[in-house]
Amino acid sequence: MTAIYRVRAGIEHIEPYVPGLTDDELKARYGLSEVVKLNANENALGPSPLALAAIQQELQVLHHYPDGASFLLRDEIARFHGVRPEQVLVGNGSDELIKLLAETFLEPEDEVVMPFPSFSQYAFGASVMRAKTRLVPLGPGFTYDVEALAAAVTERTKLVFCCSPNNPTGTVMTQAEAEWLLAQLPEHVVLVIDAAYNDYSRNPKRVMGERLLHDPRVVILHTFSKLYGLAGLRVGYGLAHAELWSFVNRVREPFNVNRLAQRAAAAALQDEAHRQASQELALRSKRFYLEVCQALGLEAPEPEGNFILVRTGDGRATAQAMMARGVMVRTNFAGLDEYVRITFGTDRENELCAEALRAVVGR
Ligand SMILES: *Cc1c(COP(=O)(O)O)cnc(C)c1O
């Protein structure tokens, strides 16, 4: 540690986030002119054309600050979900909302409960606030073990995070499990359900967070980064009781969502054709990869999002070897050394990925 900076206690314990490599890094590192980028669960179809048109218009007014309350966007989101605008908060990606929830609720030594393996940002928010994270292993086949989650809750627990479909396993929490868990949670615990991939799933049993919103302890997170293809703009949103957001708003930066993001997201929400095309591509990709995995004798839990977790034996070695063939997949998930996570691409990208996978696993 350096001697001159008196940083806040606990800063040295925060693990910096390690993102997947960017296209430029990939091309430079491997001397490739093209890469098939299947490492960050992005939408292979790109952004909605309606979003691009909205951005074009908004470019003329970039000298003006954005609407700090994101009124127009919150209105559209509220209409889309059948809730009131006061129940909607938008953020600079749903990552920001996760951090804001941590800043609003957590004091040092408080606890956060989350499944393992799952999305690392939940633990990040906790570590920034010097709170503790209790990791609760998923059950067989990466299903949710809600009894174990409930059992991990203590007097000090403030937030329980669940991700459905779960990143990186692709498995869902059911509505029945969510209702049971909520009924077990003490009054002072907030249940956050991250639904980043929920609109890809057709599983009729999956939790539909909107049906839990009658309970003031529930927060549902959504993002424009996946289905809507706007990861580069950074915009996500949460649904909850207005009073909960009234607290979160006190720690939120005044202009947290930029003008382009607000307009593009509002437009993307109206683009039914893009949404359907994205859902259909994911469904087609799911069938494709399940067949590929079955043919190669590779285990993979049924994927409910826009990615599939595949057990290849040594995930890191698989990813490296696929990379040398120009296909970038994600690996290095804690607890999942034997796996790679493949984001669904276009049909062509999926073919290229399958070829690389076949060559690498040598079957
Ligand atoms: C991608 C992702 C998000 C979205 O993050 P943004 O900050 O909105 O881009 C949220 N939760 C999970 C589980 C994700 O995989």
Side-chain angles (χ1 to χ4, degrees), residues 335-356:
L336 293 171
D337 293 346
E338 299 184 353
Y339 293 81
V340 293
R341 188 196 67 193
I342 302 172
T343 302
F344 298 158
T346 60
D347 294 321
R348 171 84 187 128
E349 289 172 329
N350 291 339
E351 292 285 355
L352 291 170
C353 177
E355 265 172 44

Side-chain angles (χ1 to χ4, degrees), residues 79-257:
R79 213 186 335 267
F80 185 77
H81 286 282
V83 300
R84 288 177 297 112
E86 302 78 49
Q87 291 177 270
V88 182
L89 189 72
V90 298
N92 185 35
S94 50
D95 281 355
E96 187 198 13
L97 297 176
I98 292 166
K99 186 151 178 260
L100 288 175
L101 287 166
E103 288 169 345
T104 305
F105 283 95
L106 301 177
E107 298 190 66
E109 306 306 312
D110 278 347
E111 293 172 4
V112 164
V113 171
M114 63 175 278
F116 179 84
S118 187
F119 191 48
S120 61
Q121 288 306 103
Y122 314 139
F124 165 73
S127 68
V128 169
M129 301 311 293
R130 298 171 66 198
K132 298 205 167 106
T133 301
R134 285 183 179 243
L135 298 175
V136 177
L138 292 169
F142 302 120
T143 53
Y144 267 86
D145 185 346
V146 279
E147 288 179 23
L149 283 168
V153 170
T154 72
E155 225 358 80
R156 301 252 34 182
T157 307
K158 293 279 187 65
L159 300 170
V160 175
F161 283 95
C162 293
C163 184
S164 174
N166 186 41
N167 181 8
T169 61
T171 44
V172 294
M173 172 179 246
T174 66
Q175 180 74 22
E177 286 166 345
E179 283 173 12
W180 185 87
L181 179 60
L182 194 55
Q184 310 308 309
L185 293 181
E187 283 284 296
H188 67 276
V189 177
V190 169
L191 174 62
V192 184
I193 298 183
D194 186 342
Y197 302 98
N198 193 45
D199 291 333
Y200 282 111
S201 176
R202 306 257 167 115
N203 187 330
K205 290 192 179 155
R206 74 190 189 281
V207 58
M208 298 298 288
E210 288 72 6
R211 286 195 222 141
L212 302 171
L213 280 178
H214 57 86
D215 192 310
R217 300 170 300 161
V218 170
V219 177
I220 311 298
L221 298 180
H222 289 273
T223 180
F224 286 95
S225 297
K226 308 291 155 61
L227 188 70
Y228 295 96
L230 297 175
L233 270 188
R234 315 302 304 124
V235 54
Y237 61 97
L239 308 176
H241 269 222
E243 193 186 350
L244 187 146
W245 292 141
S246 76
F247 291 114
V248 176
N249 261 321
R250 290 162 206 248
V251 292
R252 178 176 71 81
E253 285 187 29
F255 302 106
N256 63 327
V257 181

Side-chain angles (χ1 to χ4, degrees), residues 255-271:
F255 302 106
N256 63 327
V257 181
N258 72 68
R259 294 195 80 104
L260 302 183
Q262 289 187 34
R263 292 296 165 149
L269 214 46
Q270 308 298 330
D271 196 341

